[in-house]
Every structure is written in structure tokens, then in C-alpha cells.
Amino acid sequence: MSKITMPLLKIELESWLELKKSMDAVPNGKMTTFGKYMNEKYAFKNDTILNEADHNTALLLIMRDHVQEIN
């Protein structure tokens, strides 16, 4: 299972939120979910994250299953 660091996850979330904010201003703008975006970009191979519509829940699932601390 792929891993990601917490600082990188934070950067990815902030970037995705900015993009989502821009897309929300576009009529009929379509945006991929945070879970799907992260699952595809980092090859998590996690169907629970892939199918999660809420970005907060997806974030928690990624933190639980895929964040690795750097020592």
C-alpha cells in the first residue's frame, strides 16, 4: 500500500481546495473528489477512499491508512 507524508498530504489538500473553489465558481463545473484524486495520483489502491464523496472523510481515511512519519 502506498504511503505519503503528512506535509505532502497537507499541500495536496490545500491545492485541491483551491482548485475546487475555482471550479465552484464555474456554472456546471465538474470536480473530481479529493479521495479519487489522491487515490489515482498516489496509487493507494483503496476503494473506500476512491468512493468517498466527502473530502474531510477522505482526508481522515488517508491519514489513517497511508500517512507515514519521517524519522
Side-chain angles (χ1 to χ4, degrees):
M1 206 177 279
S2 298
K3 298 292 183 183
I4 188 172
T5 63
M6 194 62 207
L8 181 55
L9 179 58
K10 182 179 177 188
I11 290 167
E12 289 289 2
L13 178 62
E14 290 170 356
S15 175
W16 183 86
L17 287 171
E18 284 297 317
L19 181 59
K20 182 178 183 315
K21 183 178 176 182
S22 297
M23 291 302 293
D24 286 346
V26 175
N28 300 318
K30 298 287 183 184
M31 183 72 191
T32 188
T33 64
F34 182 66
K36 182 176 181 180
Y37 168 76
M38 292 297 290
N39 203 45
E40 291 174 356
K41 184 169 184 177
Y42 292 97
F44 289 150
K45 299 178 184 173
N46 187 322
D47 290 338
T48 305
I49 294 170
L50 178 66
N51 297 318
E52 181 54 58
D54 179 65
H55 70 273
N56 292 310
T57 303
L59 177 65
L60 291 173
L61 291 168
I62 294 168
M63 288 170 66
R64 182 189 73 191
D65 297 339
H66 299 282
V67 168
Q68 179 175 334
E69 293 294 323
I70 299 175
N71 295 326

